[in-house]
């Protein structure tokens, strides 16, 4: 059966699948990334894992994978297939597409993890059917994916969608990117955890604890939460003004708070827009499988492109 390898590389673990032509998952696997052993070991682990998936497909489905799609964190040059930089994995300028293609003997597509997850959400998840969507992941940081007609825009230099570095509080808290007042310093899960730990006096408290305290009516929690919601709304309205998406998909750890987040966020956006059209605001639907599913879509898209080139006279 024709299938592709889909691999989502995270800071601590890798999620993989063999995906059929209709997107059906034929096989799943997980493995630790092994970042403590250094960047070279991480790359070797990715290559070995992909090779094992290739062999599994050949043994169990009668033929090896036709292509592979790989999603990685950090700065990614998708056009050249290079993992440019990832702080949590310690690598720089890794020609990952070339290395995988040589190891597997099949075409390989390389993508940015959030954009790849956004591709899956837009095409087969919460944004299915939307011609224009914006996917925003609220995790340790904040990143986004701009969807247009079933594809995700990477930008001229691979930086499109970095909504977490829109400045929403000029002169505010310093960000590792070098600016001050970036959105992710106020509205990411990490930022809410930090603020709630300070407000509650509990150094182990996190964003999930803050959401629970909001639901119970704690005024300090509500103040922390509202500050994050207001900052997020400011950043999102800037993005909405520029992109005019039909659907706004929110995922990541902070979105797990459900309506505790979505109800005040819808209202905060409504208060801020003037001439703009308010998009449909929905939670992400695919959870932590989005990156892997998106990697599979990248692989099938690559095959479709290759097939078209082969039949062009």
């Amino acid at each position: 059966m024709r299938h592709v390898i889909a691999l989502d590389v995270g800071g601590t673990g890798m999620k993989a699948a063999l995906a059929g032509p209709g997107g059906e998952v034929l096989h799943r696997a997980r493995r630790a990334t092994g970042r403590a052993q250094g960047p070279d070991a991480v790359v070797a682990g990715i290559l070995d894992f992909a090779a094992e998936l290739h062999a599994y497909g050949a043994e169990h489905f009668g033929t090896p994978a036709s292509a592979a799609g790989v999603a990685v964190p950090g700065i990614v040059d998708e056009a050249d297939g290079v993992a440019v930089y990832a702080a949590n994995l310690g690598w720089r300028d890794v020609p990952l597409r070339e290395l995988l293609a040589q190891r597997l003997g099949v075409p390989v597509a390389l993508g940015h993890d959030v954009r790849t997850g956004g591709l899956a959400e837009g095409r087969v998840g919460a944004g299915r059917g939307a011609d224009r969507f914006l996917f925003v992941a609220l995790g340790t940081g904040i990143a986004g994916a701009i969807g247009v007609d079933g594809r995700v825009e990477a930008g001229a230099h691979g930086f499109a969608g970095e909504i977490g570095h829109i400045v929403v509080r000029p002169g505010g808290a310093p960000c590792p990117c070098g600016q001050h007042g970036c959105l992710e310093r106020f509205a990411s899960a990490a930022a809410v955890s930090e603020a709630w730990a300070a407000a509650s006096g509990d150094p182990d408290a996190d964003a999930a604890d803050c959401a629970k305290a909001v639901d119970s009516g704690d005024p300090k929690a509500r103040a922390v939460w509202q500050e994050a919601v207001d900052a997020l709304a400011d950043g999102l309205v800037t993005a909405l003004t520029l992109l005019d998406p039909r659907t706004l998909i929110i995922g990541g750890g902070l979105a797990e708070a459900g309506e505790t987040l979505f109800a005040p966020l819808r209202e905060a956006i409504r208060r801020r827009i003037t001439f703009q059209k308010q998009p449909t605001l929905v939670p992400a639907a695919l959870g932590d499988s989005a990156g892997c599913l998106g990697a599979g879509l990248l692989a099938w898209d690559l095959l479709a492109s290759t097939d078209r080139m082969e039949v062009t006279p």
Side-chain angles (χ1 to χ4, degrees):
M1 180 180 186
R2 200 178 194 207
H3 62 276
V4 298
I5 295 169
L7 182 57
D8 179 19
V9 179
T12 58
M14 295 183 280
K15 297 181 284 291
L18 298 180
E24 65 273 23
V25 176
L26 308 174
H27 171 67
R28 294 183 188 271
R30 289 179 180 254
R31 176 169 297 183
T33 304
R35 63 179 178 176
Q37 299 170 13
D40 291 341
V42 170
V43 173
I46 293 170
L47 297 177
D48 289 344
F49 194 21
E52 290 175 19
L53 292 162
H54 193 255
Y56 184 97
E59 179 181 353
H60 290 82
F61 304 114
T63 181
S66 300
V70 184
V72 297
I75 299 171
V76 183
D77 184 338
E78 297 174 7
D80 289 337
V82 176
V84 178
Y85 175 70
N88 57 353
L89 296 177
W91 64 29
R92 287 182 180 272
D93 298 321
V94 179
L96 198 54
R97 184 177 67 193
E98 179 182 354
L99 293 172
L100 282 162
Q102 290 175 350
R103 182 70 175 270
L104 302 175
V106 300
V108 176
L110 184 70
H112 179 273
D113 57 352
V114 174
R115 287 197 293 269
T116 301
L119 175 67
E121 284 288 353
R123 200 181 290 180
V124 301
R128 183 195 295 263
D131 57 345
R132 301 286 192 279
F133 71 86
L134 175 62
F135 169 70
V136 178
L138 308 175
T140 302
I142 297 179
I146 302 164
V148 181
D149 291 334
R151 66 178 183 83
V152 169
E153 174 59 50
H157 308 94
F159 296 159
E162 291 293 345
I163 186 175
H165 297 289
I166 290 176
V167 173
V168 294
R169 299 291 181 267
C175 179
C177 79
Q179 297 188 118
H180 287 73
C182 287
L183 175 60
E184 70 177 39
R185 292 296 295 119
F186 298 91
S188 63
V192 174
S193 294
E194 181 182 339
W196 178 235
S200 66
D202 179 359
D204 297 322
D206 61 14
D209 297 323
C210 185
K212 292 175 184 176
V214 169
D215 290 340
S216 68
D218 186 305
K220 290 183 179 179
R222 286 185 171 180
V224 167
W225 197 257
Q226 192 61 50
E227 181 178 357
V229 167
D230 286 340
L232 182 56
D234 287 340
L236 290 175
V237 169
T238 297
L240 302 182
T241 304
L242 291 171
L243 303 173
D244 187 27
R246 197 173 307 280
T247 303
L248 175 56
I249 307 165
I250 305 293
L254 209 60
E256 294 176 7
E259 283 302 299
T260 301
L261 173 67
F262 285 91
L265 182 58
R266 288 190 188 98
E267 176 59 22
I269 292 173
R270 187 195 64 77
R271 290 197 310 269
R272 285 164 172 77
I273 59 176
T274 52
F275 65 90
Q276 306 94 329
K277 294 292 185 181
Q278 184 154 354
T280 302
L281 177 62
V282 296
L286 302 176
D288 71 353
S289 66
C292 194
L293 291 172
L297 292 173
L298 288 179
W300 283 116
D301 286 353
L302 179 61
L303 282 176
S305 175
T306 303
D307 291 345
R308 285 195 298 270
M309 291 176 63
E310 289 178 350
V311 300
T312 301

